[in-house]
Amino acid sequence: MAKAKKYVYFFGAGKAEGRADMKELLGGKGANLAEMTNLKIPVPAGFTLTTEVCTYYYAHGRKYPPELKAEVNKAVAGVEKVMAKKLGDPGNPLLVSCRSGARASMPGMMETVLNIGLTTATIPGLIRLTGNPRFVWDAYRRLIMMYSDVVMEKAAGLEPAEGKGIRQQLERVMEGMKHEVGAKTDTDLTSDNLEKLCACFRAKVQEVIGKPFPDDPQEQLWGAIGAVFQSWNGRRAISYRRIEGIPGEWGTATNVQAMVFGNMGDDSATGVAFTRNPATGENKFFGEWLTNAQGEDVVAGIRTPNPLNISTKSEHTAHLKSLEEAMPATYKALVDIRNKLEKHYRDMQDIEFTIEKGVLWMLQTRTGKRTGPAALRMVVEMLRERLIPKEVGVTRVTPAQLDELLHRILDPKAEKTAKVLAKGLPAGPGGTTGRIVFTAAEAVAWAEKGESVILCRKETNPEDVEGMRAASGILTALGGMTSHAALVARGWGKCCIVGCGALHIDAESHALSVGDTVLTEGDWMSLNGSKGVVYAGQLPTVDPDPENPMLVEFLKSCDAVRKLGVRANADSPKDAAVARKFGAEGIGLLRTEHMFYGEGADEPLFKLRKMILSNSLVERRAACEELYPYVKNDIKGTLAAMDGLPVTIRLLDPPLHEFVPQAEDKQAELAASLGITVDDVKKRAADLHESNPMMGHRGVRLGVTYPEVSEMQIRAILEAAAELLKAGKKALPEIMIPVTCTVAELTNQAAIIAKVKAEVMAKFGLKKLSFLVGTMIEIPRAALTAGKMAEAAEFFSFGTNDLTQMGFGFSRDDIGAFMPDYLDKKILAADPFQTIDQEGVGELIKIGIERGRATRPNLKVGICGEHGGDPASIHFCHKVGMNYVSCSPFRVPIARLAAAQIAVKDAAGKQPAKKGKK
Ligand code: ADP
Ligand code: MG
Ligand code: MG
């Protein structure tokens, strides 16, 4: 018989039923509260209702499993025993919080209610017990505010108009009270003020919601539990999940936990901290705290929080007292816990703590979100500290984070001369420039028009996430490094500045001002998110530094772990040099036609056109001879730049008509040079017209029709190599024949190669000339006949752009008309031109490799399509046993990382599964 499901897990008094690795069941918060309890870290007792309660709740028309009630009652009794207090006991009341906690952290997306258990019956008891009426009324007004908002309004499905929500209405009541009694901050309100405020709050709740505020602890508790489960399907949470790709089926857990109070006076406090700096990665305990406050005050930015310690004070916070100075003994206890947590979790933790009358309590720990630069620095330093092994280190930086480091920044030169508009806290990395918008909706609307926008807000809240996503940068006037905007931006690696105090935002009139400067919607602004500097106007941005020492050290660890080689697609000596800087181990694709585009291409292009428009062998040979030196020098430059690393050179690939001149003057010039009339030029060009050029006279087909064109290119490659060898240098060319579909094409071209090789060796007096001959596999037939192809090819390079085009029968240039619908309607899970379609195109690749290696076991296999820089596709390339991937030079570091990560994952999968400890 199956064991009955357990729905409630207890933690308290140094012992917990859960563990950190039970996140799926207990949610991140619950699992880590259990883990900390087991580590003998002081955690207020409590219990977790599992995510299975949530899934049951939604599967059964919002009803709980029948056995839940008894389990909760038992757990409440457990908490009462540990805390020596009782829920609802007028003489000695226990208060609890009810906290949501999903598997993946969703900051601020779901609901938490504090101070549950305060009622007209328990309030006098608690006042007597604490001798602190001010604290009790403060706790009660918070309960009313949170509970009426979360439980009575949101969970009940009420959707009040903008500004009419109960929380805002109560906030206005409170502002009114502060004004009336002349209180500047919340802490200035006296006990009497607060008692009166609570009465006003209850009246307001009755008036707005039409129901009395519940005065029964059990009703409060179950109301809050229900609201947490309801909040899983709240609008904000759904939208956040969609962006983050968190499945709706996961469900959230709910934690009920005995309250500890940071608002009991000046010997009480609350704070949040990171075991290392989440913005820079620096190994310094970093955080913010407030005296006489409850948890949410720090995050909400109601008061400017104080710095945690002396060493992390900034120019903005230098005048504020740190916890280290205010409560040295408690700070020391916190540092000990920090050290214990880092050693245990072996990663940077994001923690919440509360100090009640000098006693420290931990309320949360989780792996902290961090910027890309911080992630990198932490890994490199933790590797040096031997806190983690390489195999773990390489998994700690995501490809997206690495991408941030390779991100654009504001041009430092321009920054030097630009006038600083304002300064704030550097909350999200990189630099960006964009046009100012003031609401999330505007951000989305402008971004849809293709504009880069900067979302400027007083502060952000979870309702703004879609706009924050759409914006290229975020700027807020309020909030600290742990504010909502900072947390979200850091998670996404988005450029963000918070707490920019000089900024006055008037969202209604769509304007912001700093001193005398006024900017309105649509004006340009630039942000340096790494330093926290704001500029008016549009500053240029520049590419990042590939020689960043942390990056180099980290990527070395990746290289030590990965099995897959990484090359770059590069077409010129300049690209080749960049590729080497980023760590490319060769060039996987050099497109010879590239020399006919862009800078300095005029002369070779003219010669190429002559060759294309030649209509006799004699003419064409003469044109090839003229073209030859350009081709050879171009290739030689790149071979030299790669200094002995392999360079795969692809023979001419595109359909020739792409190069035919359209302009009259160019046609006239060509006519003169060829000794024919302009009309003849036009006629010859017209003859090259094809109705389906992608599948027309291109690639190897040109070489079959015009062997002299292949011969010229092959000679250029081999003589370039020979000249380098003669000069005492190294060169390792790989001749790649494109668009093949049968081995006969390869043997046809191989004959030319053999002939030229003999000639070049004789000419240069060489005994040995090493190079490889291979082919692109980009036509399905080539993949299927790979066994034969490998008879003539020493390497395969999968041209996955064309292979996808021909595998799907999707014209690469025309997918815009239907791909969005295919993705929307989930006919395809992803655009196959961005990430390899493993099921179909991937099958062609697998077959190609298997059959190719059956013929030639040491067949070298790589990929040179756009997919070579896509992490998911790189994982696939590893799994099917390719030797290397090749991608654009700037993606090379990402490919090195992705290759290392899949190697680690692969090795872990091959180890016998570890048994979970009981
Ligand atoms: P979030 O996921 O939004 O951070 P939490 O559940 O962590 O929500 O709670 C919000 C705030 O309330 C946090 O600052 C937390 O430390 C504080 N808090 C939660 N439960 C308690 C408790 N039992 N005693 C004291 N403070 C609490
Ligand atoms: Mg929290
Ligand atoms: Mg191709």
Side-chain angles (χ1 to χ4, degrees):
M1 207 183 77
K3 223 172 94 194
K5 254 194 189 137
K6 180 174 168 59
Y7 286 113
V8 174
Y9 284 71
F10 182 81
F11 54 86
K15 260 212 179 105
E17 294 177 313
R19 285 190 316 263
D21 62 3
M22 291 167 71
K23 289 197 180 64
E24 289 187 14
L25 192 62
L26 303 180
K29 202 178 281 169
N32 285 325
L33 285 170
E35 188 83 2
M36 283 198 290
T37 304
N38 284 330
L39 287 170
K40 314 289 179 224
I41 287 171
V43 172
F47 54 90
T48 305
L49 284 72
T50 68
T51 54
E52 286 174 355
V53 177
C54 187
T55 31
Y56 183 103
Y57 178 78
Y58 283 107
H60 293 82
R62 312 203 171 203
K63 285 210 173 59
Y64 297 121
E67 56 274 48
L68 186 69
K69 183 118 202 174
E71 282 191 52
V72 167
N73 287 342
K74 193 174 149 225
V76 169
V79 176
E80 289 174 336
K81 193 164 159 234
V82 172
M83 304 305 291
K85 292 176 184 171
K86 260 186 146 58
L87 194 65
D89 182 340
N92 185 19
L94 170 72
L95 303 194
V96 295
S97 65
C98 184
R99 325 170 62 188
S100 61
R103 277 194 229 179
S105 124
M106 296 169 61
M109 284 300 133
M110 290 179 305
E111 308 299 355
T112 288
V113 180
L114 305 182
N115 306 334
I116 291 167
L118 274 179
T119 62
T120 46
T122 57
I123 286 171
L126 195 61
I127 292 177
R128 225 174 306 120
L129 217 61
T130 59
N132 188 343
R134 189 196 178 279
F135 147 72
V136 177
W137 292 117
D138 184 54
Y140 193 44
R141 66 96 186 160
R142 290 170 191 270
L143 170 67
I144 302 174
M145 202 167 220
M146 277 184 260
Y147 192 94
S148 61
D149 173 41
V150 170
V151 185
M152 303 178 80
E153 186 173 277
K154 289 213 183 79
L158 302 180
E159 292 196 0
E162 181 69 30
K164 292 269 193 268
I166 183 70
R167 183 182 273 266
Q168 284 150 309
Q169 302 220 34
L170 295 180
E171 260 158 17
R172 281 197 290 272
V173 172
M174 183 155 159
E175 281 309 310
M177 162 80 71
K178 273 157 83 178
H179 190 77
E180 200 185 302
V181 303
K184 273 209 208 77
T185 67
D186 300 359
T187 39
D188 294 336
L189 291 173
T190 64
S191 175
D192 287 345
N193 297 154
L194 287 167
E195 180 174 358
K196 213 170 122 210
L197 186 66
C198 289
C200 298
F201 270 19
R202 290 180 65 180
K204 194 82 192 169
V205 168
Q206 173 75 54
E207 173 201 321
V208 174
I209 303 200
K211 272 189 202 158
F213 187 76
D215 204 30
D216 171 63
Q218 285 291 333
E219 186 187 345
Q220 287 177 0
L221 177 62
W222 284 98
I225 290 174
V228 169
F229 288 132
Q230 287 277 89
S231 71
W232 177 253
N233 275 340
R235 212 173 338 125
R236 287 183 302 171
I238 290 175
S239 135
Y240 186 86
R241 281 205 295 274
R242 202 178 53 229
I243 292 170
E244 294 287 319
I246 297 171
E249 307 82 70
W250 277 8
T252 181
T254 301
N255 303 286
V256 174
Q257 188 176 22
M259 284 300 302
V260 288
F261 299 103
N263 53 337
M264 276 199 156
D266 287 338
D267 56 354
S268 300
T270 184
V272 293
F274 298 88
T275 56
R276 300 186 188 211
N277 186 312
T280 64
E282 197 182 7
N283 188 2
K284 276 189 183 162
F285 196 19
F286 181 92
E288 293 167 342
W289 71 291
L290 281 174
T291 39
N292 202 9
Q294 262 193 338
E296 78 281 6
D297 294 353
V298 179
V299 182
I302 290 174
R303 280 188 270 154
T304 305
N306 294 31
L308 194 64
N309 45 29
I310 300 163
S311 73
T312 58
K313 284 188 179 181
S314 71
E315 56 177 295
H316 306 279
T317 56
H319 61 288
L320 298 169
K321 205 162 195 181
S322 68
L323 185 69
E324 187 177 11
E325 293 155 291
M327 305 183 189
T330 317
Y331 176 72
K332 164 126 199 330
L334 188 63
V335 170
D336 288 344
I337 289 175
R338 173 237 188 192
N339 295 342
K340 195 166 181 179
L341 287 174
E342 266 219 352
K343 216 162 153 206
H344 182 72
Y345 285 96
R346 302 202 293 176
D347 201 355
M348 185 268 273
Q349 297 293 300
D350 168 352
I351 61 179
E352 289 174 2
F353 62 90
T354 282
I355 299 164
E356 178 180 318
K357 293 186 157 295
V359 179
L360 175 64
W361 294 93
M362 297 302 296
L363 288 161
Q364 192 168 337
T365 188
R366 63 182 167 203
T367 300
K369 295 210 167 148
R370 59 204 73 181
T371 63
L376 182 77
R377 177 164 181 178
M378 285 180 207
V379 168
V380 169
E381 293 185 348
M382 286 182 188
L383 284 170
R384 289 183 193 157
E385 292 159 27
R386 301 193 182 280
L387 189 60
I388 50 171
K390 280 197 182 77
E391 287 71 17
V392 171
V394 302
T395 63
R396 291 271 178 88
V397 179
T398 65
Q401 282 175 325
L402 192 61
D403 199 31
E404 275 175 48
L405 293 164
L406 307 162
H407 251 203
R408 296 183 81 74
I409 52 171
L410 294 182
D411 182 351
K413 268 185 269 143
E415 265 195 279
K416 263 196 198 119
T417 52
K419 198 171 151 270
V420 173
L421 181 67
K423 280 190 182 169
L425 302 172
T432 191
T433 184
R435 311 187 60 176
I436 297 171
V437 294
F438 293 97
T439 68
E442 282 162 22
V444 171
W446 282 75
E448 270 170 5
K449 286 186 284 180
E451 295 280 356
S452 165
V453 295
I454 294 183
L455 179 60
C456 302
R457 308 276 293 161
K458 263 200 190 107
E459 62 198 322
T460 64
N461 64 52
E463 256 110 45
D464 294 327
V465 282
E466 302 226 30
M468 295 167 77
R469 186 73 176 182
S472 72
I474 299 160
L475 174 64
T476 71
L478 305 176
M481 291 293 279
T482 51
S483 66
H484 178 260
L487 229 57
V488 171
R490 211 157 34 236
W492 289 342
K494 183 155 294 199
C495 181
C496 175
I497 297 175
V498 299
C500 184
L503 200 70
H504 293 280
I505 294 183
D506 186 351
E508 253 154 54
S509 64
H510 286 228
L512 64 81
S513 61
V514 178
D516 303 337
T517 313
V518 177
L519 298 172
T520 57
E521 182 176 342
D523 285 347
W524 284 91
M525 172 185 270
S526 304
L527 305 181
N528 178 336
S530 311
K531 292 214 183 104
V533 187
V534 184
Y535 304 92
Q538 189 182 9
L539 261 58
T541 53
V542 293
D543 289 329
D545 171 20
E547 278 154 282
N548 166 352
M550 286 275 175
L551 187 69
V552 171
E553 192 171 335
F554 174 70
L555 288 170
K556 265 203 200 125
S557 299
C558 293
D559 294 345
V561 169
R562 71 183 158 90
K563 302 274 184 289
L564 202 57
V566 177
R567 297 194 189 183
N569 299 348
D571 302 317
S572 66
K574 203 171 127 209
D575 286 359
V578 174
R580 283 197 68 172
K581 260 194 200 157
F582 279 115
E585 297 157 314
I587 289 179
L589 177 64
L590 183 160
R591 309 169 188 89
T592 44
E593 59 272 16
H594 188 84
M595 62 178 291
F596 306 117
Y597 306 111
E599 218 181 315
D602 280 358
E603 278 182 46
L605 181 60
F606 183 73
K607 311 283 184 201
L608 177 77
R609 285 172 165 167
K610 260 177 98 170
M611 185 187 88
I612 289 169
L613 293 179
S614 303
N615 69 352
S616 73
L617 184 59
V618 179
E619 252 179 48
R620 199 159 34 248
R621 273 199 187 286
C624 275
E625 227 151 89
E626 285 185 45
L627 186 53
Y628 173 79
Y630 295 96
V631 179
K632 190 195 75 188
N633 284 335
D634 190 71
I635 289 169
K636 189 173 167 186
T638 304
L639 283 173
M642 293 309 283
D643 188 28
L645 293 176
V647 178
T648 306
I649 303 154
R650 180 174 72 182
L651 301 186
L652 207 56
D653 180 71
L656 292 183
H657 73 96
E658 274 188 20
F659 298 102
V660 168
Q662 304 301 333
E664 288 276 341
D665 59 328
K666 296 277 178 208
Q667 290 182 343
E669 215 181 309
L670 265 178
S673 174
L674 279 166
I676 56 176
T677 67
V678 173
D679 273 350
D680 278 334
V681 167
K682 286 193 170 134
K683 211 167 131 262
R684 289 185 190 184
D687 287 344
L688 288 170
H689 173 80
E690 294 179 311
S691 44
N692 195 351
M694 270 292 190
M695 296 195 191
H697 197 179
R698 58 177 287 219
V700 70
R701 296 160 205 172
L702 292 169
V704 170
T705 318
Y706 309 124
E708 57 281 8
V709 175
S710 286
E711 185 178 328
M712 179 273 290
Q713 297 179 76
I714 292 159
R715 191 178 308 281
I717 296 167
L718 296 187
E719 288 206 2
E723 284 176 14
L724 286 169
L725 292 178
K726 275 284 171 193
K729 302 216 171 85
K730 288 178 272 180
L732 193 53
E734 301 179 341
I735 300 173
M736 179 156 80
I737 301 169
V739 206
T740 52
C741 61
T742 162
V743 68
E745 291 166 325
L746 289 177
T747 43
N748 172 287
Q749 298 290 296
I752 305 173
I753 295 172
K755 178 184 139 237
V756 175
K757 179 184 176 185
E759 288 167 7
V760 171
M761 286 177 71
K763 177 173 169 188
F764 287 82
L766 291 170
K767 287 211 178 62
K768 202 173 142 223
L769 181 57
S770 309
F771 63 93
L772 296 181
V773 178
T775 186
M776 300 264 293
I777 301 285
E778 53 188 332
I779 294 179
R781 189 183 193 281
L784 296 172
T785 61
K788 290 239 170 79
M789 302 296 278
E791 286 169 9
E794 293 166 298
F795 68 87
F796 285 173
S797 178
F798 284 90
T800 47
N801 299 344
D802 270 319
L803 194 61
T804 300
Q805 165 164 273
M806 290 186 250
F808 274 90
F810 287 167
S811 162
R812 256 153 86 178
D813 303 322
D814 303 309
I815 54 168
F818 56 89
M819 190 55 72
D821 283 334
Y822 269 56
L823 297 177
D824 266 1
K825 295 182 180 162
K826 303 212 168 14
I827 290 174
L828 289 176
D831 176 352
F833 289 99
Q834 280 176 27
T835 189
I836 287 180
D837 156 51
Q838 300 194 7
E839 196 183 358
V841 175
E843 197 61 19
L844 285 169
I845 294 173
K846 267 197 223 155
I847 290 172
I849 296 175
E850 267 165 37
R851 296 187 183 170
R853 289 213 174 121
T855 301
R856 189 189 289 268
N858 64 348
L859 181 77
K860 210 185 213 186
V861 180
I863 180 176
C864 63
E866 288 305 309
H867 301 99
D870 168 59
S873 305
I874 293 168
H875 292 184
F876 174 77
C877 295
H878 169 99
K879 282 188 249 162
V880 297
M882 287 195 190
N883 298 87
Y884 68 86
V885 295
S886 187
C887 58
S888 89
F890 281 98
R891 296 293 292 180
V892 165
I894 308 247
R896 290 161 75 189
L897 173 63
Q901 292 184 335
I902 185 64
V904 168
K905 200 165 159 205
D906 200 20
K910 278 177 189 149
Q911 268 165 19
K914 270 200 209 131
K915 276 226 186 98
K917 55 177 172 176
K918 188 68 220 136

